[in-house]
Amino acid sequence: MLTVDFGRLPVGPGTRVLDLGCGGGRHAFEVLRRGADVVAFDMDAEELEGVASMFAAMDKAGEVPPEATAETVTGDALNMPFEDASFDRVIAAEVLEHIPDDMAAMREIFRVLKPGGRAAITVPSFLPERICWALDEAYHTAPGGHVRIYTLAELSAKLKAVGMEIGPHHHAHGLHAPYWWLKCAVGVNNDDHPLTKAYHEILVWDIMKRPAATRIAEAVLNPLIGKSVVLYVRKPA
C-alpha cells in the first residue's frame, strides 16, 4: 500500500533515493522495482533485517532491474550518516509525527538532498488524526507513538523554514480513516473486536484486488477524510 504518488516523485535508473524511516519497506520496494538505487534507513535494526530479506527475495524473483541497487542502514533521523547532497530523492512517510524535534529531522532531509532534489513528506491528516486522539488516549501515548498533529499549513511552514520550496499535495487512504476510528472506539489495542476484524478484511481485499468500486470510493473520500496528507517539496538548485 503506497502513500507516495511516484507520478509526482519520479524515480528510475540513476536516481539515488533515501527512504527515511522506511519501516517495513513498502516504498523502498517500489523504488527498487522502478530501477532506482535505494537506501532503506530506519532506527529499528530488526525491521531492517526483514527489509533486506525482501530485497534479496525480489532480486531472486527477477523483480529488480539489473542497474538498480538496494541497501539498508540503521541510524537516527536527527543525525544521518550520509554526506551532504547525497540523494536525488527523499521519502519520509509517516515519520515526522513520531519525532519530538521534527525541525531537526527536516534540516537533515534538506542537508542530504542534492540541489534540485525532491522529497515526499507524508504525515497523518489533521481531521482523521484529531478524531483518533479524541477517541482513545492509548492511540498516541504508547512509546514511540505520535507526538503531534500537523495541519498542512504547519507542515508547509516548517519545511519552508528549513529552505524547501513547497510543491503540490494530496491526501491518501480515505478508506483507512474509518478503520482507525473504529479501532480507537473499541480500544486501539483490541485486535479481536468483530467490527474492526471485518473492516480489516475489507481493506486487505481492497489492497490485493483493487476493485473499481473501492478505487472510486477512495478517490471521493481522499480529499475529505484521507488518513494521510502527502506534501512534495524541492531543495532549490
Side-chain angles (χ1 to χ4, degrees), residues 10-202:
V11 302
T15 309
R16 190 166 189 237
V17 183
L18 172 65
D19 188 358
L20 170 60
C22 66
R26 58 198 174 102
H27 288 105
F29 303 146
E30 181 64 20
V31 168
L32 187 59
R33 288 188 187 98
R34 290 171 178 260
D37 302 317
V38 62
V39 176
F41 183 80
D42 203 283
M43 67 188 306
D44 188 333
E46 186 175 343
E47 188 109 71
L48 285 179
E49 289 179 7
V51 174
S53 295
M54 181 59 74
F55 283 154
M58 290 171 62
D59 188 38
K60 186 176 181 179
E63 295 182 31
V64 180
E67 67 276 13
T69 65
E71 63 177 307
T72 59
V73 177
T74 307
D76 187 344
L78 304 185
N79 185 26
M80 291 192 280
F82 308 115
E83 295 182 359
D84 296 355
S86 297
F87 295 95
D88 302 289
R89 305 282 186 268
V90 174
I91 297 169
E94 313 298 296
V95 173
L96 294 177
E97 69 275 12
H98 296 274
I99 301 175
D101 191 354
D102 59 339
M103 292 288 287
M106 292 177 192
R107 285 190 290 270
E108 276 290 272
I109 293 171
F110 185 86
R111 181 184 67 80
V112 302
L113 261 180
K114 294 179 181 179
R118 303 180 191 178
I121 312 295
T122 95
V123 298
S125 300
F126 178 82
L127 178 60
E129 185 75 350
R130 186 69 191 86
I131 293 173
C132 287
W133 281 45
L135 287 171
D136 189 359
E137 185 178 0
Y139 173 83
H140 65 94
T141 57
H146 299 179
V147 298
R148 72 179 56 79
I149 304 175
Y150 287 100
T151 63
L152 178 60
E154 178 190 357
L155 181 64
S156 300
K158 286 184 171 182
L159 287 164
K160 186 175 181 179
V162 302
M164 294 292 193
E165 295 176 349
I166 306 303
H169 73 276
H170 63 85
H171 291 80
H173 311 316
L175 291 176
H176 289 244
Y179 168 72
W180 282 100
W181 295 341
L182 275 175
K183 272 189 73 72
C184 290
V186 302
V188 72
N189 297 314
N190 181 2
D191 295 326
D192 296 322
H193 196 281
L195 282 177
T196 54
K197 288 177 71 174
Y199 202 124
H200 185 264
E201 290 178 3
I202 293 171

Side-chain angles (χ1 to χ4, degrees), residues 3-18:
T3 306
V4 172
D5 177 0
F6 285 97
R8 301 178 191 237
L9 189 81
V11 302
T15 309
R16 190 166 189 237
V17 183
L18 172 65

Side-chain angles (χ1 to χ4, degrees), residues 171-178 199 202-203 205-206 210-227:
H171 291 80
H173 311 316
L175 291 176
H176 289 244
Y199 202 124
I202 293 171
L203 292 179
W205 170 73
D206 173 56
R210 311 293 287 176
T214 56
R215 294 302 83 225
I216 293 170
E218 184 148 274
V220 172
L221 291 173
N222 278 344
L224 303 173
I225 58 168
K227 185 71 171 66

